[in-house]
Amino acid sequence: MTVMTWAPEKTKATNKPGIPAMAQAYARWVNANGGLDGRKLKVVTCNDHNDPVGAADCARKAVDMEVAAVVGSYSQHGRSFLSPLEVAGIPYIGGYGVTDEEFSSPLSYPVNGGEPALMAGNGRQLAARCERVSLVRPDTIAGDDLPKLLDAGLTEGHRKPSSDIRAPEDGTDFTAQAEQALERAGTGGCVTAALGARTDTFYDSYRRTEDTYPTARISSVLGSVDQSLVDRTGGGNGPYEGAYLTGWYPAASDARWGEMREVIRQQAFGDNRVDPTDAGVQTTWIAYTVLKQTVESLDGGEVSSRTLRRALDDGLKVGTGGLTPTLSWRFKDMLAASDFPRLVNADVTFQMVRDGRLVPARKGFVNVSKTLERVR
């Protein structure tokens, strides 16, 4: 059986090379152990180049190849890639969750709460700690949704809405945005940035600016900051020490990631694209876990886009070893939020950087479904 995984690579903005690399490592591991329910798994990868034309090209390639599903992918251009998939009836399983369309298309089967859950959760996390919050986010269509999501979490914690500060997605200097963020955060405030791969560039500008302003705590979401970034920037002596982070899954050091880490060790040793602490790699692992259990549920029957969709729509329950709640995509499993009707997992985790390591800031998952239902 053939599936496709896509993500942007070698662009000037966000790049996610670990996603297709993890998909291929998963295929090597599965095929070395008898395949998916006895079938060899072939993974075709595609670079969406971070633009609508590239995303549509990847989707058309998937249609032309008659893949059974698109699995564990990342693209900011949901409108461009989901339309061709919908026409062809190809399910989109476990996308990264960065576009609204992933939470509205009937052919999308998300495994996390995407950017909506992260930002709403970040608001909840910061409301307990910050007098005021400045949000630095991309000046893009996807970025335009972030303030209202963060503010929903802040409002629930009886805080005022954030200061919305836009930044160019491919910027190389964010001094002006850092100055605005610090000025508006003030004493006892927090600055949170969700700029993907450019988040560290922003905090680099922030570090050069912060001494002339009242001290603020910093924050972000997993996917913009992860353990490898903390390590690269000095660990416990670096700028992220004490930062608050919101993620979808348990901390990367959690034992529940053990099988994924073993697969990476066996099948991607030396491939520095495949970082087990990267949220894209983790999401791809979970997406392929869903594919595996869906194929197995067919009991040796035909595997096609149609049979996979039917199994998922009929209430298949997928366990992920505690990395998410049990996943199921029946109508009654979905969130009562008009903006995100396909969202089935609204759990997030609150983490922080302590002694250079990402550790839980509180135990277990935090469910933000009620917060998301209030977003207007």
Side-chain angles (χ1 to χ4, degrees):
M1 63 172 292
T2 301
V3 300
M4 181 178 281
T5 296
W6 60 55
E9 300 185 60
K10 298 178 182 175
T11 75
K12 292 181 180 178
T14 297
N15 295 297
K16 294 287 183 183
I19 287 175
M22 180 71 229
Q24 290 174 321
Y26 187 95
R28 289 193 294 273
W29 171 66
V30 138
N31 291 334
N33 290 278
L36 284 186
D37 203 27
R39 298 169 175 83
K40 184 176 180 181
L41 174 63
K42 180 181 178 183
V43 172
V44 179
T45 63
C46 189
N47 183 355
D48 94 325
H49 297 288
N50 245 336
D51 65 52
V53 174
D57 286 346
C58 285
R60 282 193 289 269
K61 183 178 176 184
V63 172
D64 290 345
M65 296 187 71
E66 299 182 345
V67 303
V70 175
V71 186
S73 297
Y74 178 106
S75 175
Q76 296 186 46
H77 304 286
R79 205 166 295 164
S80 298
F81 70 75
L82 272 164
S83 294
L85 296 186
E86 287 171 350
V87 170
I90 296 172
Y92 186 71
I93 299 173
Y96 190 83
V98 75
T99 70
D100 287 351
E101 290 82 5
E102 291 170 70
F103 298 102
S104 58
S105 170
L107 270 75
S108 179
Y109 301 86
V111 298
N112 59 39
E115 209 82 23
L118 286 184
M119 295 309 297
N122 196 229
R124 287 267 296 272
Q125 187 175 13
L126 296 182
R129 297 167 170 87
C130 315
E131 294 289 329
R132 286 175 298 281
V133 175
S134 294
L135 167 64
V136 184
R137 52 86 170 183
D139 189 8
T140 61
I141 292 171
D144 288 344
D145 287 335
L146 304 187
K148 67 180 181 181
L149 293 161
L150 182 77
D151 291 349
L154 290 171
T155 300
E156 199 163 297
H158 309 291
R159 297 291 187 185
K160 292 179 180 177
S162 60
S163 294
D164 178 22
I165 298 162
R166 302 179 187 198
E169 186 185 26
D170 57 356
T172 55
D173 180 80
F174 296 102
T175 302
Q177 288 83 6
E179 290 172 347
Q180 283 184 63
L182 282 158
E183 187 174 328
R184 296 182 191 179
T187 305
C190 295
V191 174
T192 189
L195 290 166
R198 296 292 177 177
T199 301
D200 190 47
T201 307
F202 166 75
Y203 277 123
D204 195 44
S205 298
Y206 179 96
R207 289 191 288 275
R208 295 196 298 269
T209 307
E210 62 179 326
D211 289 347
T212 54
Y213 292 89
T215 301
R217 299 294 292 268
I218 67 171
S219 174
S220 189
V221 293
L222 269 290
S224 289
V225 173
D226 57 25
Q227 184 63 57
S228 62
L229 176 58
V230 174
D231 293 342
R232 286 199 309 274
T233 53
N237 297 315
Y240 294 102
E241 183 66 19
Y244 301 123
L245 300 169
T246 307
W248 293 306
Y249 313 123
S253 57
D254 193 285
R256 285 169 282 190
W257 293 110
E259 186 176 34
M260 181 191 76
R261 287 180 172 275
E262 180 60 21
V263 169
I264 293 171
R265 190 191 66 77
Q266 288 179 22
Q267 301 296 337
F269 184 77
D271 186 345
N272 59 15
R273 295 173 299 168
V274 187
D275 177 358
T277 73
D278 178 79
V281 168
Q282 294 171 348
T283 301
T284 301
W285 168 259
I286 292 169
Y288 274 89
T289 299
V290 172
L291 178 69
K292 182 174 187 287
Q293 291 183 36
T294 308
V295 171
E296 289 170 350
S297 78
L298 301 176
D299 291 328
E302 177 199 5
V303 177
S304 66
S305 57
R306 180 182 55 82
T307 59
L308 292 177
R309 277 197 338 267
R310 182 184 296 164
L312 292 163
D313 291 342
D314 284 352
L316 176 70
K317 293 188 183 326
V318 175
T320 61
L323 296 171
T324 68
T326 299
L327 299 170
S328 183
W329 294 268
R330 293 170 303 177
F331 180 75
K332 69 178 186 178
D333 298 312
M334 294 175 186
L335 200 66
S338 56
D339 287 350
F340 317 109
R342 296 290 294 177
L343 201 153
V344 300
N345 172 15
D347 282 5
V348 296
T349 55
F350 292 170
Q351 302 176 34
M352 69 179 298
V353 181
R354 185 183 298 136
D355 299 326
R357 306 303 297 170
L358 273 172
V359 297
R362 61 171 282 177
K363 278 188 171 182
F365 290 99
V366 177
N367 188 279
V368 295
S369 57
K370 292 284 185 281
T371 313
L372 290 171
E373 286 167 9
R374 294 191 188 100
V375 172
R376 290 292 177 265

